[in-house]
């Protein structure tokens, strides 16, 4: 496949809307693992649900089971052990791993944040189930990283199918000292550096990436025995195509998922 034999607009039309796999949305294995760590403490705190005297019951729990404190930030969907709060009565930095405030102050925290209301009015019936839901919500923050890894995993699959040996997240210190490449393939007479990404949405990040890779492509042309390959895709490029078009004009080895499916690696590494 010759790069100059393709029209940019035709190539762009083959870009994908999404590459999301079934495990992209929620990593339930991680959710269950995180929730299980607090299972004992959560079940102890269950005794506060529908309590008729929740402040006294909470105080007794802290005296007998002080480790229950570490569950509290997660009840607010916060994965931190220290929380800062202030109001007209002062500013406090609450530690939920090692109590640094009085029991009265922790009770104040529970009342002001709404946690006592959540528990005593039976809004929920089981804290373990509630925490599982919280973990599902927090796990959504990991989708960005999973999205990036999905493209890397996809490209890696095609590298394996091509039967080539490769290194992941590898530095070529003699060529680009401060650049870590997603994949590096070495053959008898050439070194290939491969970068991968997928953009669902547009934005300035795409233009910066295209400009950066254009510069790398121009530098790569000056290096004997070195070839730069960029694999990108995603409908985000339709909203930021001008810079990609410029890179397309100078980078011979700029491909998308359709090119991978058409066997471009078999041609490059033959």
């Amino acid at each position: 496949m010759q790069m100059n034999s393709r029209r940019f607009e035709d190539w762009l039309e083959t870009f994908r809307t999404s590459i999301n796999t079934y495990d992209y949305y929620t990593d339930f294995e991680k959710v269950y693992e995180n929730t299980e760590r607090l299972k004992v403490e959560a079940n102890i705190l269950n005794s506060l649900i529908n309590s008729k005297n929740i402040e006294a019951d909470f105080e007794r729990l802290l005296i007998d089971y002080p480790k229950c404190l570490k569950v509290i930030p997660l009840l607010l969907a916060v994965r931190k052990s220290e929380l800062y709060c202030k109001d007209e009565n002062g500013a406090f930095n609450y530690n939920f791993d090692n109590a640094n405030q009085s029991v009265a102050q922790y009770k104040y925290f529970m009342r002001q944040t709404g946690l006592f209301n959540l528990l005593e009015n039976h809004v929920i019936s089981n804290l373990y189930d509630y925490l599982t839901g919280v973990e599902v919500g927090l796990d959504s923050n990991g989708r960005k990283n999973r999205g990036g890894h999905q493209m890397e995993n996809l490209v890696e699959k095609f590298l394996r199918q091509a039967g080539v040996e490769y290194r992941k997240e590898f530095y070529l210190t003699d060529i680009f000292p401060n650049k870590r490449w997603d994949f590096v393939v070495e053959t008898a007479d050439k070194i290939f550096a491969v970068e991968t990404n997928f953009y669902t949405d547009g934005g300035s990040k795409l233009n910066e990436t295209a400009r950066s890779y254009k510069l790398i492509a121009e530098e790569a042309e000056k290096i004997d025995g070195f070839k730069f390959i960029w694999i990108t895709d995603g409908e985000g490029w339709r909203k930021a195509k001008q810079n990609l078009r410029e890179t397309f004009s100078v980078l011979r080895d700029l491909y998308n998922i359709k090119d991978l499916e058409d066997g471009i690696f078999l041609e490059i590494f033959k």
Side-chain angles (χ1 to χ4, degrees):
M1 178 187 299
Q2 298 298 313
M3 174 57 69
N4 56 16
S5 70
R6 299 183 297 172
R7 292 181 63 253
F8 176 76
E9 292 293 341
D10 293 339
W11 179 66
L12 190 64
E13 278 300 310
T14 65
F15 275 37
R16 308 295 169 88
T17 301
S18 174
I19 55 171
N20 291 344
T21 54
Y22 287 100
D23 58 359
Y24 163 77
Y25 297 98
T26 299
D27 183 349
F28 276 107
E29 184 176 342
K30 179 181 175 184
V31 165
Y32 299 143
E33 180 181 322
N34 288 343
T35 309
E36 191 68 20
R37 293 194 190 109
L38 296 173
K39 183 175 182 178
V40 172
E41 291 80 5
N43 284 331
I44 292 173
L45 284 177
N46 272 337
S47 64
L48 296 177
I49 293 176
N50 210 26
S51 170
K52 303 305 180 186
N53 192 0
I54 196 167
E55 294 202 12
D57 291 341
F58 178 73
E59 183 170 344
R60 281 193 292 272
L61 276 185
L62 287 196
I63 292 172
D64 294 337
Y65 307 103
K67 287 186 178 181
C68 288
L69 271 179
K70 64 184 181 181
V71 179
I72 291 173
L74 199 57
L75 296 180
L76 298 170
V78 178
R79 208 185 300 284
K80 294 170 63 177
S81 61
E82 292 189 13
L83 300 181
Y84 174 86
C85 297
K86 65 173 293 185
D87 61 9
E88 67 278 4
N89 292 319
F92 301 90
N93 191 48
Y94 295 88
N95 189 311
F96 292 92
D97 274 343
N98 297 292
N100 64 342
Q101 303 291 339
S102 66
V103 172
Q105 194 62 50
Y106 282 108
K107 288 194 291 187
Y108 186 78
F109 177 93
M110 296 289 287
R111 181 62 68 189
Q112 294 303 108
T113 57
L115 287 176
F116 272 161
N117 181 59
L118 177 77
L119 295 166
E120 67 187 337
N121 291 317
H122 214 175
V123 176
I124 58 175
S125 59
N126 184 289
L127 279 177
Y128 183 80
D129 293 343
Y130 173 87
L131 290 177
T132 301
V134 169
E135 284 289 349
V136 169
L138 291 175
D139 185 70
S140 65
N141 296 326
R143 287 177 191 156
K144 182 178 180 180
N145 288 334
R146 287 197 292 272
H149 289 311
Q150 282 188 133
M151 188 61 175
E152 291 176 14
N153 293 340
L154 185 63
V155 171
E156 186 173 11
K157 182 187 76 171
F158 284 101
L159 283 170
R160 287 175 179 155
Q161 289 178 359
V164 298
E165 294 185 4
Y166 58 88
R167 296 185 175 121
K168 291 182 66 173
E169 300 182 350
F170 192 72
Y171 288 90
L172 294 168
T173 54
D174 294 336
I175 301 177
F176 286 86
N178 299 316
K179 172 66 179 172
R180 186 181 69 177
W181 305 96
D182 290 333
F183 301 96
V184 170
V185 177
E186 294 187 49
T187 63
D189 59 350
K190 194 165 291 185
I191 296 176
F192 300 86
V194 183
E195 283 291 281
T196 71
N197 40 52
F198 188 97
Y199 294 106
T200 303
D201 300 311
S204 60
K205 171 67 175 175
L206 284 76
N207 291 329
E208 292 170 10
T209 300
R211 284 193 292 265
S212 172
Y213 286 177
K214 180 183 176 183
L215 292 174
I216 292 176
E218 291 170 343
E219 286 297 312
E221 286 295 318
K222 305 172 186 176
I223 303 172
D224 291 336
F226 178 78
K227 185 179 283 290
F228 170 49
I229 300 171
W230 180 19
I231 314 293
T232 194
D233 212 308
E235 68 175 4
W237 283 116
R238 302 184 197 279
K239 305 171 187 176
K241 65 182 182 180
Q242 187 53 43
N243 287 98
L244 184 63
R245 185 196 302 272
E246 292 176 9
T247 308
F248 182 90
S249 68
V250 299
L251 178 54
R252 182 183 184 84
D253 293 286
L254 173 53
Y255 306 112
N256 64 8
I257 295 171
K258 178 67 163 54
D259 296 321
L260 296 179
E261 292 173 344
D262 289 344
I264 190 61
F265 279 167
L266 294 174
E267 183 175 331
I268 292 172
F269 303 121
K270 62 183 177 182

